[in-house]
């Protein structure tokens, strides 16, 4: 990893440049506030060279936790910006559970417990674990109560933004059934700093805003949203991240001397129901589940590989996924058209686009999750390729939000923090393993 020394230096510099004091901007212009799973990954990167600052990052995120335990997807610590939705648009004060600090009214994939455990294993932070464990437990408890519609232990999301894969074609059919009306006045900010062809279409964005307006009108009350939200999806990515996070939360509970009974129950129910809800045995894919229609969403994206990250897929199902899809140049594998891994959507999907937000580009955070999963199932050759591709993309094009899998060119925000953070994690971990 000696030839990545310069990349490591640039990654540290990028996180320093995006530092706002108590939190790190995901991108210097496009994303000026604090995002949930961005900050978790950023803290992981920071922990390699500035552990106190990494812990400050997490503490800042936790200041936005709602009274019912929900950890929001955005915390607005600082002055107004040109980002939309702005704090006022969410109208979270309609909810009695809203915190004092301004936040959004939805959540994001709960990777934080896993990140904290990973930091703790590398650089023991027992006092910090004691401090934050109650916050993590409350968030996971909220997910398993407010967001478990059927007692399966699997949680649902109410907005594409909660998936972390905002513009994924997984959501197109569900969203197409929504006809926005009486939309509040708004002005998009996401195309000011990034080319429109790399961002969601106007009609999709209007539906995003329409959903938020529904949430505002129902005061973010979970039971009312369960009854009224037209978007109610059990997401493979979200539940895979949550399953692994529950395992890590359980390990942290043992560290601090707390009972694991509640977490054990969540894990048992998720394990019992995961394949029944998500596994399509005919196609050999993990697919998201639409609670409104009672059927799986038949769109093939790279999220199908996330159960490997969770460690919840059987060895046989993992092997089928890898052989049929990962190694197939018509689906995901680099070949005639693709030169880098891994495209976020199968090339066979008619909505595949190499540069549009979550419609096909490579995401470094997704690659990192998949590297963890592939390694745990023994696919070391694929791990090596995915790490090499990820680092080469960042070395060649800088720390971009996402990358075109055809030529590797960067897309989205410049100087993207979680790409820099994952670069640090990859380089330092490789150095540690070689030692």
């Amino acid at each position: 990893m000696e030839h990545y020394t310069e990349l490591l230096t640039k990654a540290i510099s990028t996180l320093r440049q995006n530092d706002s004091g108590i939190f790190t901007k995901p991108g210097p212009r496009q994303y000026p506030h604090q995002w949930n799973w961005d900050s978790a990954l950023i803290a992981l990167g920071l922990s390699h060279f500035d552990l106190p600052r990494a812990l400050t990052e997490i503490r800042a995120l936790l200041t936005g936790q709602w009274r019912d335990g929900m950890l929001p997807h955005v915390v607005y610590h600082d002055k107004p910006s040109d980002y939309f939705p702005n704090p006022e648009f969410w109208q979270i004060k309609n909810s009695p559970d809203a915190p004092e600090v301004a936040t959004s009214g939805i959540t994001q994939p709960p990777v934080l417990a896993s990140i904290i455990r990973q930091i703790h294993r590398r650089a023991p932070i027992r006092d910090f674990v004691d401090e934050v464990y109650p916050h993590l437990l409350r968030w996971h408890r909220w997910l398993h109560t407010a967001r478990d519609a059927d007692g399966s232990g699997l949680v649902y999301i109410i907005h594409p933004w909660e998936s972390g894969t905002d513009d994924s074609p997984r959501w197109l059919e569900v969203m197409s059934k929504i006809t926005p009306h009486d939309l509040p006045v708004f002005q998009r900010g996401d195309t000011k700093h990034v080319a429109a062809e790399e961002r969601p279409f106007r009609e999709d964005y209007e539906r995003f805003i329409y959903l938020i307006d529904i949430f505002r009108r129902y005061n973010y009350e979970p039971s009312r949203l369960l009854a009224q939200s037209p978007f109610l999806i059990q997401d493979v990515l979200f539940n895979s991240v949550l399953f692994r996070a529950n395992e890590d939360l359980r390990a942290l509970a043992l560290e601090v001397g707390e009972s694991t009974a509640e977490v054990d129950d969540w894990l048992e129910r998720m394990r019992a129901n995961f394949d029944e809800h998500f596994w399509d045995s005919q196609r050999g894919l993990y697919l998201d589940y639409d609670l409104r229609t009672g059927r799986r969403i038949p769109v093939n994206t790279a999220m199908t590989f996330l159960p490997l990250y969770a460690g919840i897929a059987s060895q046989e199902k993992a092997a089928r996924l890898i052989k049929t899809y990962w190694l197939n140049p018509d689906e995901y594998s680099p070949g005639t058209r693709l030169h880098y891994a891994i495209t976020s959507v199968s090339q066979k999907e008619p909505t595949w686009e190499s540069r549009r937000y979550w419609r096909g580009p490579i995401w470094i955070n997704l690659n990192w999750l998949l590297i963890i999963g592939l390694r745990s199932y023994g696919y070391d050759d694929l791990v090596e390729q995915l790490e090499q591709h990820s680092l080469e993309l960042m070395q060649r094009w800088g720390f971009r939000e996402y990358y075109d899998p055809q030529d590797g060119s960067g897309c989205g925000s410049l100087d993207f923090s979680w790409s820099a953070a994952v670069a640090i994690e990859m380089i330092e971990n490789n150095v540690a393993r070689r030692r």
Side-chain angles (χ1 to χ4, degrees):
M1 285 286 160
E2 292 79 9
H3 57 296
Y4 291 119
T5 301
E6 184 179 353
L7 184 67
L8 180 62
T9 301
K10 288 180 179 178
I12 293 170
S13 176
T14 296
L15 294 187
R16 292 296 197 202
Q17 289 168 12
N18 288 340
D19 192 339
S20 291
I22 61 169
F23 77 96
T24 306
K25 299 176 185 178
R29 295 191 297 168
Q30 181 82 337
Y31 303 103
H33 305 290
Q34 185 174 29
W35 266 256
N36 187 325
W37 72 329
D38 290 74
S39 269
L41 286 168
I42 288 164
L44 184 62
L46 287 168
S47 68
H48 283 282
F49 64 93
D50 191 342
L51 182 59
R53 179 63 187 78
L55 305 189
T56 297
E57 187 81 23
I58 295 169
R59 288 189 178 104
L61 178 61
L62 292 174
T63 63
Q65 187 164 34
W66 284 37
R67 294 180 181 91
D68 60 3
M70 193 266 280
L71 198 61
H73 98 295
V74 181
V75 183
Y76 300 91
H77 294 284
D78 50 358
K79 297 177 182 179
S81 68
D82 62 0
Y83 179 79
F84 180 82
N86 57 26
E88 294 73 27
F89 190 83
W90 291 96
Q91 298 179 7
I92 65 169
K93 294 304 179 184
N94 293 344
S95 169
D97 292 315
E100 293 302 316
V101 65
T103 76
S104 68
I106 58 177
T107 192
Q108 258 190 336
V111 73
L112 185 59
S114 298
I115 296 295
I116 290 172
R117 186 187 179 201
Q118 195 162 334
I119 294 172
H120 180 52
R121 291 167 74 177
R122 186 172 61 238
I125 45 171
R126 173 57 193 276
D127 288 347
F128 182 77
V129 172
D130 284 331
E131 174 190 337
V132 301
Y133 175 80
H135 294 275
L136 298 173
L137 180 63
R138 287 176 57 228
W139 185 22
H140 288 224
R141 181 182 292 140
W142 177 82
L143 287 168
H144 282 289
T145 52
R147 293 298 185 84
D148 183 351
D150 53 11
S152 65
L154 304 172
V155 307
Y156 63 85
I157 59 174
I158 58 173
H159 195 289
W161 292 352
E162 289 197 318
S163 73
T165 63
D166 308 8
D167 196 36
S168 174
R170 296 181 288 157
W171 318 134
L172 287 178
E173 183 182 351
V174 179
M175 296 293 279
S176 69
K177 297 174 184 176
I178 299 172
T179 304
H181 57 84
D182 302 322
L183 272 177
V185 177
F186 72 93
Q187 180 62 49
R188 288 178 68 168
D190 61 312
T191 54
K192 290 181 180 179
H193 307 296
V194 173
E197 59 267 23
E198 297 174 9
R199 300 297 300 172
F201 290 107
R202 171 76 188 185
E203 58 268 26
D204 297 317
Y205 204 90
E206 287 181 350
R207 292 183 174 104
F208 296 158
I209 299 307
Y210 180 69
L211 284 174
I212 295 172
D213 193 45
I214 291 175
F215 307 158
R216 301 189 313 183
R217 286 188 272 117
Y218 289 108
N219 300 333
Y220 298 99
E221 170 56 45
S223 62
R224 299 177 77 185
L225 296 183
L226 173 60
Q228 301 296 333
S229 176
F231 188 94
L232 215 67
I233 307 293
Q234 289 173 335
D235 171 20
V236 171
L237 181 154
F238 199 104
N239 280 279
S240 295
V241 168
L242 177 59
F243 184 85
R244 186 178 182 110
N246 279 336
E247 291 190 320
D248 291 320
L249 185 67
R250 185 184 190 280
L252 294 175
L254 293 172
E255 286 267 347
V256 300
E258 295 288 341
S259 170
T260 65
E262 188 175 15
V263 184
D264 288 339
D265 177 62
W266 300 336
L267 286 166
E268 182 180 351
R269 285 188 287 130
M270 292 187 81
R271 192 179 291 109
N273 294 296
F274 197 93
D275 280 4
E276 180 184 347
H277 282 240
F278 296 133
W279 179 251
D280 184 320
S281 58
Q282 184 174 359
R283 295 178 67 190
L285 286 168
Y286 284 101
L287 299 172
D288 308 292
Y289 189 83
D290 184 348
L291 285 166
R292 287 290 180 235
T293 63
R295 65 180 183 85
R296 298 186 191 98
I297 299 171
V299 179
N300 180 4
T301 74
M303 310 317 132
T304 194
F305 303 114
L306 262 295
L308 276 68
Y309 167 77
I312 202 169
S314 69
Q315 198 72 43
E316 292 74 22
K317 287 185 174 71
R320 185 176 176 185
L321 282 168
I322 296 301
K323 181 179 179 181
T324 308
Y325 297 102
W326 188 289
L327 296 177
N328 186 343
D330 294 327
E331 300 269 5
Y332 291 96
S333 180
T336 304
R337 180 158 62 160
L338 304 185
H339 291 90
Y340 294 93
I342 183 171
T343 175
S344 48
V345 176
S346 166
Q347 296 173 88
K348 284 190 174 180
E349 289 295 331
T351 52
W352 184 87
E353 292 188 62
S354 66
R355 300 183 69 84
R356 193 175 298 278
Y357 201 59
W358 285 108
R359 298 286 177 94
I362 293 166
W363 288 76
I364 299 298
N365 68 318
L366 178 61
N367 278 8
W368 178 73
L369 294 172
L370 294 174
I371 284 167
I372 294 172
L374 291 167
R375 180 174 284 120
S376 68
Y377 282 78
Y379 292 104
D380 294 341
D381 53 337
L382 298 182
V383 168
E384 185 176 351
Q385 181 192 57
L386 204 52
E387 282 190 337
Q388 179 186 341
H389 283 201
S390 300
L391 292 168
E392 183 179 330
L393 288 170
M394 291 185 282
Q395 195 170 44
R396 184 177 177 190
W397 296 97
F399 302 110
R400 299 300 296 267
E401 188 176 0
Y402 38 102
Y403 300 84
D404 189 326
Q406 297 181 118
D407 61 10
S409 57
C411 312
S413 174
L414 297 166
D415 301 321
F416 203 64
S417 291
W418 79 17
S419 298
V422 171
I424 296 168
E425 176 72 8
M426 286 181 180
I427 295 168
E428 294 288 6
N429 276 356
N430 272 283
V431 169
R433 275 196 295 272
R434 293 186 182 190
R435 285 175 183 160

